[in-house]
Amino acid sequence: MISVLVPSSLVRETTDKRTATLKLGYVARAAAVFRADRLEVFPDPEGENRWGGGFVETVLRYAATPPYLRKEVFGTRDELEYAGVLPPLRLSAWTGSESSGSGSLRQGVVTQVGSDGRVRVNCGLQHPVSLHTPPGMDVAEGERVTIRVSSRRPVRAKLVAEPLPGFGVERVDLRDALGRPDAGLRVGTSRHGTPLTASMAAEVATQGVEDGLTVAFGAPGRGLPAMLGFDPGELAADSGPPMDSETRPTDSPAGFDAWLNTIPDQGSEVVRTEEAMFATLAHLTLTE
């Protein structure tokens, strides 16, 4: 499980909606490229500028929704005025390029619930499909569901109790997200953290594969320490290389297992969040 946490103040430095939308598109691209399971927005109301958490969450949700469902799910919203500038994610889970002999998974939206145990689902095929609801599964109109398509001509598909393909977007409290049982290794990113080395990156990546990984990012000009009320100077004393699950501290700063500077020799005074995401996730998801 890979969880990526970004603040509601993510687009605080932008001056127009188009630029803010494009920036969020690259944040979604980073989550897609590195196979994040969750892209979550935590509140930073003091750092928000013109575009707040509602805008950030809506645009990211839209970007994370398959193109064939966007009109059904979102309709017309002011936040999505410039949605056309969003770069395509082209998730393999949406295109079916990872389909196997048992069929490909697709997202769908329930458009009608019948009294005979059947539902109609819009899943991007030519027409909504009528499907049996599996025993023990309750679905409601408007709910997103996962279906497995085994044939398109003729259409053969079924509802399955599996996570939605792609990654989910939701608003969360930062401390609650860090306290989840499946949070795995919890990494806070900051230019004041421990400089990431090649050997440390290998260690973190290994732990991430074994335990899962949660990585939190700050905003331009307002890093995570400022959001959490920390003096950045405290991180040098408190943070160190990550440890395995049996030796991690229970009182680590702000609930993180490690604070890392993943671009230790940055050549720009400010690294944008989307840039930090690409650099950080590239290091922390390496495999042998």
Side-chain angles (χ1 to χ4, degrees), residues 11 30 38 71 77 96 102 118 122 152 172 220 228 274 280 282:
V11 291
R38 294 185 291 225
K71 183 176 181 180
R77 300 193 186 186
S102 58
R118 299 183 70 91
N122 177 1
R152 296 196 181 195
V172 297
L228 297 170
E274 64 272 28
T280 301

Side-chain angles (χ1 to χ4, degrees), residues 190-197 260-271 279 283:
S190 171
R191 65 184 301 176
H192 304 284
T194 301
L196 185 68
T197 62
L260 298 179
N261 177 0
T262 57
I263 311 176
D265 192 26
Q266 66 187 60
S268 174
E269 292 184 2
V270 176
V271 175
H283 288 309

Side-chain angles (χ1 to χ4, degrees), residues 5 40 171-183 186:
L5 305 172
E40 300 174 313
R171 191 178 305 188
V172 297
D173 178 82
L174 178 59
R175 297 185 187 277
D176 288 345
L178 296 177
R180 286 186 298 222
D182 63 354
R186 301 162 298 182

Side-chain angles (χ1 to χ4, degrees), residues 3-288:
S3 301
V4 177
L5 305 172
V6 295
S8 62
S9 55
L10 182 60
V11 291
R12 65 191 305 265
E13 86 287 6
T14 58
T15 57
D16 64 88
K17 190 185 293 186
R18 185 183 188 279
T19 302
T21 301
L22 182 60
K23 178 186 179 74
L24 292 171
Y26 286 114
V27 168
R29 280 284 301 173
V33 167
F34 295 102
R35 293 180 175 270
D37 299 286
R38 294 185 291 225
L39 176 57
E40 300 174 313
V41 182
F42 63 88
D44 177 36
E46 293 184 19
E48 292 177 8
N49 199 341
R50 184 175 181 181
W51 319 113
F55 173 80
V56 170
E57 182 184 5
T58 298
V59 174
L60 290 179
R61 281 183 183 273
Y62 183 89
T65 299
Y68 54 81
L69 292 181
R70 287 173 175 171
K71 183 176 181 180
E72 180 82 41
V73 173
F74 291 94
T76 302
R77 300 193 186 186
D78 290 341
E79 299 97 321
L80 302 174
E81 179 180 1
Y82 291 99
V85 304
L86 290 170
L89 300 192
R90 294 191 59 80
L91 289 172
S92 55
W94 295 353
T95 62
S97 59
E98 284 192 344
S99 61
S100 62
S102 58
S104 60
L105 296 178
R106 294 174 69 87
Q107 283 192 40
V109 172
V110 177
T111 59
Q112 184 178 355
V113 178
S115 58
D116 56 352
R118 299 183 70 91
V119 295
R120 290 182 65 81
V121 180
N122 177 1
C123 56
L125 300 179
Q126 187 173 3
H127 303 287
V129 293
S130 177
L131 302 173
H132 284 288
T133 304
M137 179 185 289
D138 294 322
V139 296
E141 187 173 325
E143 182 178 348
R144 295 199 208 187
V145 293
T146 302
I147 69 168
R148 185 178 293 279
V149 179
S150 55
S151 171
R152 296 196 181 195
R153 293 185 179 179
V155 174
R156 293 191 181 93
K158 62 180 180 179
L159 284 173
V160 292
E162 298 186 34
L164 293 174
F167 61 88
V169 176
E170 61 181 310
R171 191 178 305 188
V172 297
D173 178 82
L174 178 59
R175 297 185 187 277
D176 288 345
L178 296 177
R180 286 186 298 222
D182 63 354
L185 181 67
R186 301 162 298 182
V187 176
T189 58
S190 171
R191 65 184 301 176
H192 304 284
T194 301
L196 185 68
T197 62
S199 59
M200 192 187 302
E203 179 184 354
V204 174
T206 298
Q207 292 181 34
V209 170
E210 294 176 352
D211 303 333
L213 181 67
T214 295
V215 188
F217 296 88
R222 183 172 167 83
L224 276 177
M227 296 178 190
L228 297 170
F230 277 93
D231 178 354
E234 298 176 17
L235 296 182
D238 289 333
S239 68
M243 292 167 276
D244 61 42
S245 57
E246 295 182 357
T247 58
R248 288 183 200 151
T250 57
D251 58 349
S252 54
F256 290 100
D257 299 308
W259 284 86
L260 298 179
N261 177 0
T262 57
I263 311 176
D265 192 26
Q266 66 187 60
S268 174
E269 292 184 2
V270 176
V271 175
R272 297 173 178 175
T273 305
E274 64 272 28
E275 296 168 339
M277 287 178 65
F278 277 101
T280 301
L281 296 174
H283 288 309
L284 303 189
T285 59
L286 286 173
T287 56
E288 294 186 2

